PDB file of all heavy atoms in Angstrom:
ATOM      1  N   LEU A 518     -30.035  46.823 -23.754  1.00 70.00           N
ATOM      2  CA  LEU A 518     -29.749  46.236 -22.519  1.00 70.00           C
ATOM      3  C   LEU A 518     -28.419  46.507 -22.105  1.00 70.00           C
ATOM      4  O   LEU A 518     -27.286  46.459 -22.699  1.00 70.00           O
ATOM      5  CB  LEU A 518     -29.684  44.555 -22.535  1.00 70.00           C
ATOM      6  CG  LEU A 518     -29.700  43.875 -21.252  1.00 70.00           C
ATOM      7  CD1 LEU A 518     -30.730  44.272 -20.421  1.00 70.00           C
ATOM      8  CD2 LEU A 518     -29.552  42.295 -21.539  1.00 70.00           C
ATOM      9  N   ARG A 519     -28.333  47.255 -20.853  1.00 60.00           N
ATOM     10  CA  ARG A 519     -27.113  47.680 -20.381  1.00 60.00           C
ATOM     11  C   ARG A 519     -26.884  47.209 -18.827  1.00 60.00           C
ATOM     12  O   ARG A 519     -25.943  47.559 -18.098  1.00 60.00           O
ATOM     13  CB  ARG A 519     -26.949  49.174 -20.270  1.00 60.00           C
ATOM     14  CG  ARG A 519     -28.069  49.905 -19.563  1.00 60.00           C
ATOM     15  CD  ARG A 519     -27.841  51.356 -19.472  1.00 60.00           C
ATOM     16  NE  ARG A 519     -28.781  52.133 -18.798  1.00 60.00           N
ATOM     17  CZ  ARG A 519     -29.794  52.866 -19.411  1.00 60.00           C
ATOM     18  NH1 ARG A 519     -29.809  52.806 -20.706  1.00 60.00           N
ATOM     19  NH2 ARG A 519     -30.712  53.443 -18.657  1.00 60.00           N
ATOM     20  N   GLY A 520     -27.614  46.058 -18.580  1.00 47.00           N
ATOM     21  CA  GLY A 520     -27.285  45.385 -17.161  1.00 47.00           C
ATOM     22  C   GLY A 520     -27.907  46.104 -16.046  1.00 47.00           C
ATOM     23  O   GLY A 520     -28.615  47.114 -16.281  1.00 47.00           O
ATOM     24  N   GLY A 521     -27.489  45.730 -14.936  1.00 43.00           N
ATOM     25  CA  GLY A 521     -27.894  46.374 -13.654  1.00 43.00           C
ATOM     26  C   GLY A 521     -28.966  45.520 -13.011  1.00 43.00           C
ATOM     27  O   GLY A 521     -30.034  45.316 -13.372  1.00 43.00           O
ATOM     28  N   GLN A 522     -28.607  45.155 -11.777  1.00 43.00           N
ATOM     29  CA  GLN A 522     -29.544  44.288 -11.052  1.00 43.00           C
ATOM     30  C   GLN A 522     -29.597  44.713  -9.542  1.00 43.00           C
ATOM     31  O   GLN A 522     -28.567  45.224  -9.010  1.00 43.00           O
ATOM     32  CB  GLN A 522     -29.025  42.768 -11.107  1.00 43.00           C
ATOM     33  CG  GLN A 522     -29.151  42.217 -12.470  1.00 43.00           C
ATOM     34  CD  GLN A 522     -28.672  40.706 -12.401  1.00 43.00           C
ATOM     35  OE1 GLN A 522     -28.084  40.228 -11.501  1.00 43.00           O
ATOM     36  NE2 GLN A 522     -28.949  39.981 -13.494  1.00 43.00           N
ATOM     37  N   ASN A 523     -30.584  44.355  -9.004  1.00 41.00           N
ATOM     38  CA  ASN A 523     -30.729  44.780  -7.581  1.00 41.00           C
ATOM     39  C   ASN A 523     -29.843  43.797  -6.846  1.00 41.00           C
ATOM     40  O   ASN A 523     -29.686  42.709  -7.125  1.00 41.00           O
ATOM     41  CB  ASN A 523     -32.182  44.676  -7.032  1.00 41.00           C
ATOM     42  CG  ASN A 523     -33.224  45.564  -7.714  1.00 41.00           C
ATOM     43  OD1 ASN A 523     -32.689  46.650  -8.196  1.00 41.00           O
ATOM     44  ND2 ASN A 523     -34.459  45.329  -7.800  1.00 41.00           N
ATOM     45  N   ASP A 524     -29.187  44.277  -5.613  1.00 41.00           N
ATOM     46  CA  ASP A 524     -28.384  43.504  -4.934  1.00 41.00           C
ATOM     47  C   ASP A 524     -28.586  43.831  -3.450  1.00 41.00           C
ATOM     48  O   ASP A 524     -28.387  44.959  -3.021  1.00 41.00           O
ATOM     49  CB  ASP A 524     -26.848  44.047  -5.235  1.00 41.00           C
ATOM     50  CG  ASP A 524     -25.910  43.136  -4.521  1.00 41.00           C
ATOM     51  OD1 ASP A 524     -26.364  42.046  -3.900  1.00 41.00           O
ATOM     52  OD2 ASP A 524     -24.795  43.484  -4.378  1.00 41.00           O
ATOM     53  N   ASP A 525     -29.142  42.814  -2.877  1.00 40.00           N
ATOM     54  CA  ASP A 525     -29.460  42.804  -1.356  1.00 40.00           C
ATOM     55  C   ASP A 525     -28.358  41.991  -0.814  1.00 40.00           C
ATOM     56  O   ASP A 525     -28.345  40.789  -0.952  1.00 40.00           O
ATOM     57  CB  ASP A 525     -30.916  42.406  -1.183  1.00 40.00           C
ATOM     58  CG  ASP A 525     -31.128  42.505   0.380  1.00 40.00           C
ATOM     59  OD1 ASP A 525     -30.245  42.616   1.095  1.00 40.00           O
ATOM     60  OD2 ASP A 525     -32.357  42.559   0.698  1.00 40.00           O
ATOM     61  N   SER A 526     -27.462  42.717  -0.106  1.00 36.00           N
ATOM     62  CA  SER A 526     -26.236  42.032   0.459  1.00 36.00           C
ATOM     63  C   SER A 526     -26.483  41.364   1.835  1.00 36.00           C
ATOM     64  O   SER A 526     -25.742  40.595   2.160  1.00 36.00           O
ATOM     65  CB  SER A 526     -25.118  42.953   0.534  1.00 36.00           C
ATOM     66  OG  SER A 526     -25.393  44.083   1.549  1.00 36.00           O
ATOM     67  N   SER A 527     -27.719  41.474   2.338  1.00 37.00           N
ATOM     68  CA  SER A 527     -27.978  40.922   3.545  1.00 37.00           C
ATOM     69  C   SER A 527     -28.162  39.389   3.494  1.00 37.00           C
ATOM     70  O   SER A 527     -28.803  38.941   2.600  1.00 37.00           O
ATOM     71  CB  SER A 527     -29.294  41.507   4.258  1.00 37.00           C
ATOM     72  OG  SER A 527     -30.426  41.228   3.492  1.00 37.00           O
ATOM     73  N   ALA A 528     -27.520  38.639   4.277  1.00 40.00           N
ATOM     74  CA  ALA A 528     -27.591  37.217   4.159  1.00 40.00           C
ATOM     75  C   ALA A 528     -27.676  36.570   5.505  1.00 40.00           C
ATOM     76  O   ALA A 528     -26.973  36.978   6.479  1.00 40.00           O
ATOM     77  CB  ALA A 528     -26.433  36.648   3.413  1.00 40.00           C
ATOM     78  N   HIS A 529     -28.532  35.551   5.639  1.00 45.00           N
ATOM     79  CA  HIS A 529     -28.701  34.827   6.892  1.00 45.00           C
ATOM     80  C   HIS A 529     -28.684  33.301   6.651  1.00 45.00           C
ATOM     81  O   HIS A 529     -29.613  32.876   6.062  1.00 45.00           O
ATOM     82  CB  HIS A 529     -29.990  35.249   7.658  1.00 45.00           C
ATOM     83  CG  HIS A 529     -30.019  36.690   7.846  1.00 45.00           C
ATOM     84  ND1 HIS A 529     -29.731  37.393   8.978  1.00 45.00           N
ATOM     85  CD2 HIS A 529     -30.731  37.685   7.098  1.00 45.00           C
ATOM     86  CE1 HIS A 529     -29.922  38.712   8.826  1.00 45.00           C
ATOM     87  NE2 HIS A 529     -30.508  38.875   7.697  1.00 45.00           N
TER      88      HIS A 529
END
Side-chain angles (χ1 to χ4, degrees):
L518 188 60
R519 57 176 178 255
Q522 296 181 346
N523 296 334
D524 183 14
D525 188 340
S526 61
S527 62
H529 307 268

